[in-house]
Structure formats: structure tokens, C-alpha cells
């Protein structure tokens, strides 16, 4: 329930203070996570319209309550409607949810420029760092859409889309510089199975989400190469250490990484066969080429494959040592065999923990 004082006005910050009420949401992008979050918002009682690029997919979601391409075998809420006209999706929306992959966000936002309702809050679901600019996704949104950064939020946590769409219990974090906006979004997507916490550490949540994909690739590589649980736990733990180093250098709070958007998401993604990043890494670890691993994703995005390079560059720009990210980059983009990457990591000079 809203924690606001007074009687809030729908879709805008009430003049007397208190949290805005989000009654309508538009989710832009109908891949696995956009569709799952549209279902969560609908289940939470928020009137939600999902935008799909392909009209036939929009029709299937609205008429058959299913997204067989991305969430096969899962029943979506009958009240969820999908359209392929972005203006129709955005009509009257108090919340715009960006659910396209990181590297296509800027081009999509440019296409959508001027269409977002002027007072809407904007929520990023993407977990990545933009390749050329090294910007976080909320920075890209503020940059291209002109939305003030105190109305741009990120949602991040251990949220494998298929499990959420199956309504299995999960928690997450909604972070915004303005905590009341985070609370409004929290209210709009709280259900009996989905529990969002608020945070104001946008940088920490976004860095946690982007770097865990890279560390999940490393775990997949180790697993594909036949290595066991000690290796995986070591990668997860040292991966967390490099995430914290980078996050703190960028102004994030260390405690964010002990939370759902940090260690929570890292553990879920590094452990689950449902993770596209972990599976992608496992194919490389088994000796398949980057192209073969890419082909096996069937059009689904493994964000870490591109973000390993942008995270590495971001770390270099801030003088932060990220050896696991560097190794993943070298395997993915410089042809280093997984076995050699492991040898290189273990032959680094010893140091205190
Ligand atoms: N799938 C998951 O379990 C979770 C994914 N995420 C993040 O959510 C973001 C979206 O990923 P998913 O929905 O999982 O992706 P997906 O791989 O399931 O689908 C991608 C969606 O984006 C669309 N798309 C691809 N390129 C596009 C372009 N150039 N322009 C417009 N649309 C384009 C595709 O048609 C599809 O609808 C990613 O950043 C991912 O890291 C976050 C949490 C969970
Ligand atoms: O972000 C995710 C879980 O929180 C999904 O991870 P993958 O993109 O690796 O499937």
C-alpha cells in the first residue's frame, strides 16, 4: 500500500506532497523480462499495456494470453493487453518501463522521443553498460528522453524471468534518486509473489546488474570446462569483490552489493541453468566458438558478452582492477581459450583478501 500522506493525484506528484499513484504502465519491449514484468504489474492491479515490435506477437499476447517465443508454456494474466503501436501503449501511462536490451536502448529511445507522457516516471529493466559511452541505462534514458534523473529508476534483483512469470516468490530492488518515486513504483508492482524493496543507490543497483552478467559468463565457462563448486564459489566471491571495487569508485554504497541487486542477483544468475549468460559461458567452456554460442541463444540476449568490454573500459577509466571481467573479455573478444584464461587468473601474484 502507498505510504503517502494526503490524497495523491494519479500519475503526478501530488501538490501537497506524498507519493504519486501509478495507475497505468506501458512496458516497452516484449522479450522474456518485459513480458514477465508486465504480468507482475497487471497482477499488482496496475493497468498495463505491453509494446511488441511485431503485431503478430502483440495479438498472441492479447488474445491467447501467452508469449510462446520467450515464455513458452506460461499463462499470462488475461487483463494484460499488448499492442504494436508505441503511442497506443504510452497513452495515459504514469510509468514507462524500458525493457529492451541495453545496446538497443538508445536507438529505441531516439525513435520514441517526444512520445512519453510528460510527467511519467521511467523505469529501466536492462542490465548492461552502453558500449561507446560507458553510460549506465538510467543515464542513457535521462540523456535521450530528457526525463529528469529524479524520475528515472532502475529495477534489479535475482529475477530470472521464467520463474517470476511462473509466479514463484522473488524479491527485488527499485532504486531512484527520489525515494518517493521508488516507493510509487514499488506500490505499482508489489504482488503476493513479487516483493520489491526501495533504495536510492541507483549506481550500485545498475553496476550490480551489469557486472553479474559478466561474472555469470565466467561461472558458465568454468562449469562448461568441467570445473566444480569450489571454483564457482571462488569466482562468485571474487566477482563480488571486483563489483564492489568498481561500484565504490563510481560512488555506489558498498552495502547495496550485500543486497538483492548485488549478491542476490549474482548468486541467482551464476547458479541457474535458466541464465542466458551462464549458459552462454558454458558453451564457450565446452569449446564452442562465440558464433556457435550466439546461435544457440535463439535471439535471446546475453548482455555480458558486450558488457564485459564496457565494464572493463569503465574500470580502466577509474583505475579499478577487474581481473575476472578482463578474462571474460579476452575469451569472448580476443580468442583466448578458457583453459588459458583460468591459468592466467591463477598465476597472478598473490595478495591479501
Ligand atoms: N530475462 C531475464 O530473466 C531478465 C532480463 N533482464 C534484463 O532485461 C533486459 C531485456 O532482456 P529480455 O527481456 O530478457 O530479453 P530477451 O532476449 O528475452 O528479448 C529481447 C527483447 O528485445 C527485443 N529487441 C531486441 N533487439 C531490439 C531492438 N534493436 N529494438 C527493439 N527491440 C529489440 C526483442 O524483440 C525482444 O522483445 C536485458 O537487459 C536483460 O539483461 C533483467 C532481469 C531478468
Ligand atoms: O538478470 C537476470 C536474473 O536476475 C537474468 O539473467 P540472464 O540474462 O543471464 O538470463
Amino acid at each position: 500500500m502507498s505510504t503517502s500522506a494526503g490524497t495523491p493525484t494519479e500519475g503526478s506528484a501530488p501538490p501537497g506532497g506524498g507519493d504519486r499513484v501509478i495507475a497505468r504502465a506501458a512496458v516497452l519491449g516484449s522479450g522474456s523480462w518485459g513480458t514477465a514484468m508486465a504480468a507482475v504489474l497487471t497482477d499488482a492491479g496496475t493497468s498495463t499495456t505491453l509494446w511488441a515490435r511485431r503485431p503478430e506477437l502483440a495479438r498472441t499476447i492479447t488474445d491467447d494470453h501467452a508469449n510462446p517465443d520467450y515464455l513458452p508454456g506460461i499463462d499470462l494474466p488475461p487483463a494484460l493487453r499488448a499492442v504494436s503501436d508505441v503511442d497506443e501503449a504510452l497513452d495515459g501511462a504514469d510509468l514507462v518501463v524500458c525493457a529492451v536490451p541495453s545496446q538497443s536502448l538508445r536507438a529505441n529511445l531516439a525513435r520514441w522521443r517526444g512520445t512519453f507522457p510528460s510527467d511519467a516516471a521511467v523505469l529501466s529493466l536492462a542490465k548492461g553498460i552502453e558500449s561507446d559511452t560507458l553510460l549506465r541505462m538510467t543515464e542513457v534514458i535521462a540523456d535521450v528522453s530528457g526525463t529528469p534523473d529524479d524520475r528515472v529508476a532502475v529495477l534489479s534483483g535475482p529475477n530470472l524471468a521464467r520463474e517470476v512469470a511462473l509466479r514463484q516468490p522473488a524479491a527485488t530492488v527499485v532504486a531512484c534518486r527520489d525515494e518517493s518515486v521508488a516507493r510509487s513504483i514499488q506500490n505499482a508492482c508489489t504482488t503476493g509473489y513479487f516483493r520489491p524493496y526501495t533504495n536510492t543507490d541507483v549506481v550500485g543497483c545498475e553496476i550490480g546488474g551489469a557486472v553479474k552478467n559478466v561474472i555469470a559468463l565466467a561461472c558458465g565457462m568454468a562449469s562448461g570446462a568441467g570445473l566444480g563448486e569450489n571454483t564457482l564459489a571462488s569466482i562468485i566471491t571474487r566477482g563480488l569483490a571486483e563489483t564492489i571495487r568498481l561500484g565504490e569508485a563510481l560512488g555506489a554504497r558498498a552495502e547495496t552489493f550485500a543486497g538483492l541487486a548485488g549478491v542476490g542477483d549474482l548468486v541467482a544468475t551464476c547458479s541457474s541453468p535458466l541464465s542466458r549468460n551462464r549458459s552462454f559461458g558454458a558453451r564457450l567452456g565446452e569449446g564452442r566458438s562465440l558464433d556457435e554460442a550466439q546461435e544457440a541463444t535463439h535471439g535471446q540476449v546475453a548482455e555480458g558478452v558486450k558488457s564485459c568490454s564496457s565494464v572493463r573500459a569503465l574500470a580502466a577509466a577509474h583505475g579499478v582492477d577487474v581481473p575476472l571481467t578482463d578474462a571474460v573479455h579476452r575469451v569472448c573478444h580476443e580468442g583466448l581459450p578458457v583453459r588459458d584464461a583460468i591459468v592466467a587468473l591463477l598465476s597472478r601474484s598473490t595478495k591479501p583478501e
Side-chain angles (χ1 to χ4, degrees):
M1 293 306 294
S2 171
T3 53
S4 63
T7 311
T9 316
E10 281 189 5
S12 59
D19 300 340
R20 65 176 65 216
V21 169
I22 292 169
R24 287 183 65 82
V27 178
L28 308 182
S30 52
S32 35
W33 192 217
T35 304
M37 270 310 295
V40 168
L41 285 156
T42 306
D43 284 348
T46 303
S47 170
T48 301
T49 307
L50 180 57
W51 170 78
R53 277 189 300 183
R54 289 176 291 135
E56 61 276 18
L57 179 58
R59 269 194 301 276
T60 304
I61 292 170
T62 303
D63 297 345
D64 302 341
H65 318 304
N67 184 341
D69 293 349
Y70 291 99
L71 295 170
I74 292 182
D75 294 330
L76 299 173
L80 174 61
R81 204 169 65 91
V83 297
S84 57
D85 176 347
V86 81
D87 291 317
E88 198 181 338
L90 289 165
D91 189 28
D94 315 308
L95 175 66
V96 178
V97 181
C98 297
V100 295
S102 304
Q103 307 305 334
S104 70
L105 179 61
R106 181 176 292 273
N108 279 298
L109 286 166
R111 220 168 288 137
W112 301 327
R113 209 192 310 261
T115 59
F116 290 4
S118 60
D119 200 37
V122 182
L123 177 67
S124 166
L125 298 186
K127 293 176 175 173
I129 299 291
E130 193 173 50
S131 290
D132 297 333
T133 63
L134 310 185
L135 291 177
R136 293 175 283 104
M137 295 300 108
T138 58
E139 294 180 304
V140 174
I141 290 170
D143 182 25
V144 186
S145 74
T147 308
D149 67 356
D150 59 2
R151 250 196 291 131
V152 183
V154 55
L155 183 145
S156 194
N159 300 146
L160 294 149
R162 190 170 178 82
E163 294 183 9
V164 172
L166 285 166
R167 298 186 172 87
Q168 295 180 9
T172 198
V173 180
V174 175
C176 184
R177 217 164 65 86
D178 181 340
E179 198 169 3
S180 80
V181 172
R183 270 198 309 270
S184 297
I185 297 171
Q186 175 187 48
N187 287 337
C189 65
T190 297
T191 73
Y193 60 90
F194 196 70
R195 182 173 171 78
Y197 290 78
T198 57
N199 197 329
T200 54
D201 185 7
V202 175
V203 177
C205 289
E206 289 193 290
I207 291 300
V211 182
K212 66 90 193 176
N213 284 333
V214 179
I215 305 304
L217 278 167
C219 283
M221 288 174 194
S223 162
L227 303 171
E229 303 306 322
N230 295 340
T231 309
L232 296 188
S234 302
I235 293 172
I236 291 172
T237 311
R238 294 311 301 164
L240 182 61
E242 72 184 52
T243 311
I244 295 172
R245 277 200 300 274
L246 176 59
E248 285 192 300
L250 296 168
R253 292 195 293 268
E255 58 267 31
T256 300
F257 300 106
L260 294 159
V263 71
D265 198 6
L266 184 66
V267 168
T269 313
C270 289
S271 318
S272 174
L274 287 178
S275 160
R276 285 88 45 95
N277 286 287
R278 189 189 194 278
S279 311
F280 197 108
R283 290 181 209 114
L284 297 178
E286 287 158 8
R288 292 203 244 172
S289 70
L290 192 73
D291 285 346
E292 287 167 337
Q294 193 76 59
E295 206 158 300
T297 63
H298 303 295
Q300 297 241 343
V301 66
E303 291 272 25
V305 176
K306 292 212 168 118
S307 281
C308 62
S309 308
S310 41
V311 168
R312 177 179 182 255
L314 194 58
H318 288 82
V320 176
D321 191 27
V322 286
L324 282 165
T325 300
D326 183 56
V328 170
H329 165 85
R330 291 174 67 198
V331 170
C332 287
H333 304 296
E334 293 179 2
L336 183 72
V338 168
R339 287 268 165 204
D340 293 358
I342 293 165
V343 170
L345 280 167
L346 290 174
S347 54
R348 292 157 61 241
S349 59
T350 52
K351 57 178 190 171
E353 188 178 28

